[in-house]
Each structure stands twice: as C-alpha cells, then as structure tokens.
Amino acid sequence: MNHLLQIDDLRLRYPGGGFRSRMPEVLKGVSLHIEPGETLGLVGESGSGKTTLGRAVLGLAQATGGTITFDGQDITHLPAGRNRGEAREIQVVFQDPYTSLTPALQVRGILTEPLVAQGITRSDADRRVSSLLDRVGLPKDSADRFAREFSGG
C-alpha cells in the first residue's frame, strides 16, 4: 500500500560554525507513515524536534539522511522551486498559535486566505471553511472570532 506520507530513517544535522565544529544530529532515525485521510498530531517535549521534523517535510530544513516520500514521490531533496508545488498539498500547524496564526484576522480570513491563493473562489472557500468548522464540532460563529478568543486546550 502506498502511504500518503512516509518518512524512513530521517536524519537532520544543522551545519556547524567552523571546520572542526559539528552540530549534533537534531533528528536521529525518525520513521513514520500517514495514510490518506489520517491526521497526525506530533507531541513531545520542548526541543525534541517536532518543529524541525515539520520543517524537513516542507523542505525548509535539509535532511542529511533518510527519505521523505509524499504520494509516492521522493521529496527529500527537491530543488526549492519544485518544493513550492508540493507545499500546496502538505500543511503543518506549528505549536504556538500566536506566531502561527495572524492575530489581525478572524478565523474565516485565516482559513480562506490559503484556499483563495490556490485559485478557489472566495464563496467556495467560505463554504469549505463552514463545512470544516462543522466537521470539527465548532459553532457556526467560530469563523467570525479571532484565534485568541479560543481556549488553548
């Protein structure tokens, strides 16, 4: 079976500061897979590599070993221009909502903006956002609230 996202023995080391210094590996042999329709929540201590793993999948941090396969295509070392096309299909929500979500926009604006940027009409994007909020059990008026108005839990 083809996994939607498959990560095998992923390793990542940030470049060192000098010819003798080498930074330690920040990801050491991470493997996981996600099936179509599945959602993965990554939980761990501060500094455990959650954000770094997301950055590697998005191509924002270069893996030094292992493979990242998305929808059957190896995306581990795609050139920057090719990565942008894959990024439309891969989204990461980082752990800090205050830096991840635009505080000046209501939830509707935060969720419709990337859809409209991909060519979906604003009315279709609004309908999709309403449907998504309903699917996750949020009240209809949630779209007209700011992210800061929600509980952190």
Side-chain angles (χ1 to χ4, degrees):
M1 171 183 227
N2 279 347
H3 307 295
L4 181 61
L5 178 68
Q6 183 164 338
I7 300 172
D8 291 309
D9 195 31
L10 188 67
R11 297 179 171 282
L12 193 140
R13 179 187 312 271
Y14 287 116
F19 115 81
R20 287 186 188 225
S21 68
R22 271 180 63 116
M23 296 295 288
E25 280 188 317
V26 293
L27 295 180
K28 302 174 187 177
V30 176
S31 297
L32 61 87
H33 66 269
I34 301 173
E35 303 298 333
E38 278 188 327
T39 301
L40 174 70
L42 196 55
V43 179
E45 294 178 9
S46 179
S48 64
K50 302 177 299 290
T51 298
T52 301
L53 179 61
R55 291 176 53 81
V57 170
L58 291 172
L60 301 174
Q62 189 63 50
T64 53
T67 59
I68 303 169
T69 307
F70 178 71
D71 203 18
Q73 179 183 358
D74 185 347
I75 63 169
T76 313
H77 301 288
L78 286 179
R82 295 270 324 269
N83 246 356
R84 189 172 302 271
E86 299 301 328
R88 288 183 178 198
E89 302 297 324
I90 302 172
Q91 299 294 315
V92 175
V93 177
F94 292 106
Q95 63 194 22
D96 181 6
Y98 297 106
T99 58
S100 298
L101 304 173
T102 308
L105 292 179
Q106 294 172 322
V107 170
R108 178 183 321 281
I110 292 169
L111 297 177
T112 58
E113 185 177 281
L115 298 172
V116 170
Q118 290 184 30
I120 296 174
T121 66
R122 186 156 303 279
S123 60
D124 285 345
D126 280 338
R127 279 193 290 279
R128 188 162 179 190
V129 166
S130 294
S131 172
L132 290 171
L133 292 173
D134 187 51
R135 271 181 86 178
V136 298
L138 288 173
K140 299 252 183 250
D141 70 341
S142 298
D144 299 318
R145 295 170 57 192
F146 293 94
R148 66 180 175 269
E149 297 179 277
F150 291 88
S151 160

